[in-house]
């Protein structure tokens, strides 16, 4: 299992995948908003989205788990 984590603190602006989606390495899965900039978060491994740990509008800190890929 691979965890996708926030690279910086910010608000979850958009979640672009759903549980059960197949993702590829390097694919955008979440977009954070920080300091009025949109920061795409990509996955480092391919697989199937097992769980999404955040909701749009949530505030996350650097290192927080956003979703799990199996």
């Amino acid at each position: 299992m691979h965890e996708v984590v926030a690279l910086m603190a910010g608000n979850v602006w958009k979640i672009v995948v759903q549980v059960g989606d197949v993702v590829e390495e390097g694919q955008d899965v979440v977009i954070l908003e920080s300091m009025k900039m949109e920061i795409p978060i990509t996955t480092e491994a391919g697989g199937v989205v097992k769980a999404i740990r955040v909701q749009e509008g949530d505030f996350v800190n650097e290192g927080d788990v956003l979703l799990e890929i199996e």
Side-chain angles (χ1 to χ4, degrees):
M1 182 171 57
H2 172 73
E3 293 181 331
V4 177
V5 297
L7 302 177
M8 62 173 41
N11 291 308
V12 177
W13 183 72
K14 186 167 185 170
I15 300 170
V16 295
V17 295
Q18 297 178 17
V19 172
D21 285 358
V22 176
V23 295
E24 298 178 5
E25 181 179 344
Q27 180 176 337
D28 291 351
V29 291
V30 175
I31 300 174
L32 296 181
E33 185 273 326
S34 181
M35 299 183 297
K36 300 191 181 200
M37 294 179 12
E38 294 175 10
I39 297 102
I41 305 297
T42 60
T43 179
E44 296 177 2
V48 178
V49 177
K50 180 180 177 187
I52 299 174
R53 300 286 180 210
V54 294
Q55 296 180 359
E56 291 180 2
D58 285 355
F59 180 82
V60 295
N61 288 303
E62 182 178 351
D64 285 355
V65 176
L66 304 176
L67 54 91
E68 298 174 2
I69 297 173
E70 190 170 63

